[in-house]
Amino acid sequence: QVQLVESGGGLVQAGGSLRLSCAASGRTGSTYFMGWFRQAPGKEREFVAGITWSGSFKTYADSVKGRSTISSDNAKNTVYLQLNSLKPEDTAIYYCAASPRAFRTRPGEYDYWGQGTQITVSS
């Protein structure tokens, strides 16, 4: 089993920034690719960004490309998501997820999920 715990969400004004953290524990060696997803009320869960634990590969959704950075710290078993120039449409619960398979962008391809952290962006 792998446990994932997100933190760093909150209320921020449009244009502001937040840094999300995802701390992994347990059998982290069974995971290869870490993803961030988000889900707004009434909408499906969508992929935001993903990274290999080595940091050698990163990918972003078009909706956040250019204003977000995903990174990983193997020593701390932690993945980060820096979000800048936040917009009201970024308001959602943000989830961290882990997959044993590389470069996955669909929720069904992830085996482990955190409990989520709320980001609310006011206009």
Side-chain angles (χ1 to χ4, degrees):
Q1 290 292 324
V2 176
Q3 295 77 43
L4 303 173
V5 179
E6 304 97 333
S7 61
L11 174 64
V12 63
Q13 289 188 332
S17 299
L18 283 173
R19 187 194 194 202
L20 305 182
S21 299
C22 172
S25 60
R27 298 183 61 187
T28 57
S30 66
T31 63
Y32 180 78
F33 196 70
M34 299 297 293
W36 283 99
F37 290 78
R38 67 185 182 186
Q39 189 166 18
K43 295 187 177 181
E44 294 186 353
R45 193 168 297 189
E46 64 175 0
F47 177 79
V48 176
I51 188 170
T52 52
W53 272 115
S54 68
S56 60
F57 180 82
K58 306 175 184 180
T59 187
Y60 299 91
D62 288 343
S63 58
V64 300
K65 195 174 294 183
R67 57 188 186 95
S68 66
T69 302
I70 189 170
S71 59
S72 60
D73 186 333
N74 274 329
K76 296 182 179 179
N77 283 340
T78 301
V79 175
Y80 304 96
L81 181 66
Q82 176 73 38
L83 294 166
N84 303 318
S85 302
L86 283 162
K87 308 173 184 179
E89 51 263 44
D90 293 319
T91 295
I93 299 174
Y94 283 71
Y95 297 91
C96 174
S99 174
R101 296 164 289 276
F103 320 139
R104 303 297 170 169
T105 61
R106 293 182 294 183
E109 297 171 319
Y110 285 75
D111 295 340
Y112 303 102
W113 291 85
Q115 82 289 349
T117 185
Q118 175 76 45
I119 290 181
T120 302
V121 184
S122 62
S123 58

